[in-house]
């Protein structure tokens, strides 16, 4: 059975960014990353490259050539400091949006570039404020030491986010997906099914309630020595001893040093298995862009 990413990638390849657009997006995202680094360096805040951005640094020395986003991560304690200084010092240029803000449908903070537009095909119906060039900020959270307890919490957390995602599809439907579905029965059936479920979750409690559940379950109040990144793929997909994200090395990304875990091999194998093997073009997952502009 296809994943949603695989289905959308296959259905909307015509919306993939051109080489020129992708080059401009990479330059824009890198400038945003440098602004983040400047604030963090000035206030001694530690952050790390995350996910595909870390993989890009290790395998390509910068962006994965076909990638169209940028991911960072930081401990919740570091994020609290970052949030204060970043909002004070860059509010003229950026929005830092967090879960539970009105109409926001994601479980992680995002940094949005104000004078821009970036609409992914699947999310083309989202409000304008959340349809801009962005950096994902993944929070490294303290989680229970007990694997059994993490498993129980993870099931509820993952269900709650799925419910919020389905409710968002109902609440902010993508006209692009609906139009494409007229000539793609598989896509139409899949999207209609998601929206029917979304109607149920939107009626019973609503999108914001399910996001609220994820925020409440994302971390425990005391350190246990174990951390996770619940706002990644799944609650229990990235669970490590805390020193994974405190014992760091620097790596070059576009010629500039950034932090990654010293044990990056363990981290990347957990996410991508044989991560140094470049996938075939047909197997590359891209987020098709309905529109991309800088103002």
């Amino acid at each position: 059975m296809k994943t949603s990413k695989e289905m959308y990638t296959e259905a909307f390849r015509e919306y993939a960014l051109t080489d020129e657009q992708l080059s401009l997006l990479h330059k824009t995202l890198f400038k945003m990353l440098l602004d983040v680094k400047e604030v963090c360096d000035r206030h001694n805040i530690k952050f790390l490259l995350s996910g595909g951005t870390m993989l890009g640094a290790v395998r390509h020395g910068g962006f994965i050539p076909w990638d169209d986003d940028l991911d960072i991560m930081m401990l919740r304690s570091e994020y609290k400091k970052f949030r204060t200084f970043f909002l004070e010092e860059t509010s003229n240029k950026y929005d830092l949006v967090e879960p539970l803000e009105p109409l926001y449908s994601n479980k992680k903070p995002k940094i949005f570039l104000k004078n821009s537009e970036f609409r992914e095909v699947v999310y083309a119906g989202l409000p304008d404020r959340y349809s801009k060039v962005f950096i994902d900020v993944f929070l490294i959270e303290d989680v229970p030491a007990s694997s059994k307890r993490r498993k129980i919490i993870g099931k509820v957390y993952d269900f709650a986010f799925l419910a919020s995602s389905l409710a968002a599809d109902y609440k902010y439907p993508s006209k692009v997906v609906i139009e494409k579905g007229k000539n793609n029965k598989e896509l139409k059936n899949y999207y209609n099914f998601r929206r029917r479920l979304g109607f149920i979750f939107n009626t019973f409690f609503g999108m914001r309630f399910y996001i609220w559940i994820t925020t409440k379950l994302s971390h425990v109040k005391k350190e246990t020595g174990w951390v996770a990144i619940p706002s990644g793929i799944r609650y229990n997909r990235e669970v490590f001893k805390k020193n994974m994200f405190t014992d760091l090395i620097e790596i070059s990304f576009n010629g500039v040093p950034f932090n990654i875990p010293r044990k990056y091999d363990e981290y990347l194998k957990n996410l991508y298995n044989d991560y140094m093997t470049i996938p075939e073009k047909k197997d590359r997952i891209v987020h098709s862009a309905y529109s991309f502009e800088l103002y």
Side-chain angles (χ1 to χ4, degrees), residues 128-185:
D128 289 346
R129 189 185 180 201
Y130 311 131
S131 301
K132 301 182 183 299
V133 179
F134 63 89
I135 291 177
D136 283 324
V137 183
F138 294 94
L139 300 189
I140 304 165
E141 307 277 22
D142 291 302
V143 295
S146 165
S147 60
K148 290 182 179 179
R149 190 176 172 200
R150 290 198 303 267
K151 186 175 181 179
I152 294 169
I153 293 173
K155 286 184 179 297
V156 179
Y157 180 101
D158 293 341
F159 174 81
F161 180 67
L162 175 61
S164 72
S165 176
L166 295 170
D169 277 353
Y170 172 76
K171 199 170 184 179
Y172 308 119
S174 170
K175 293 180 180 179
V176 187
V177 177
I178 293 172
E179 185 64 27
K180 185 77 171 184
K182 292 178 180 178
N183 299 305
N184 185 323
K185 186 176 180 181

Side-chain angles (χ1 to χ4, degrees), residues 36-65:
V36 170
K37 178 176 172 59
E38 182 178 342
V39 172
C40 288
D41 287 350
R42 185 159 53 243
H43 299 287
N44 196 29
I45 297 168
K46 294 287 186 184
F47 79 96
L48 298 80
L49 303 183
S50 180
T53 303
M54 188 193 306
L55 173 58
V58 171
R59 195 171 67 193
H60 302 276
F63 287 97
I64 296 174

Side-chain angles (χ1 to χ4, degrees), residues 2 26 33 41 49 56 76 86-88 97-98 106 112 121 129 147 151 182 193 200-201 217 238 265 267 269 285 293:
K2 294 178 183 176
H26 284 177
L33 181 61
D41 287 350
L49 303 183
R76 174 170 285 273
F86 193 76
L87 288 173
E88 286 178 355
V97 179
E98 301 175 311
N106 215 300
F112 288 101
V121 167
R129 189 185 180 201
S147 60
K151 186 175 181 179
K182 292 178 180 178
F193 178 67
I200 295 171
F201 289 120
L217 295 179
E238 299 172 78
D265 181 67
Y267 171 87
K269 281 181 177 176
I285 302 296
E293 290 187 59

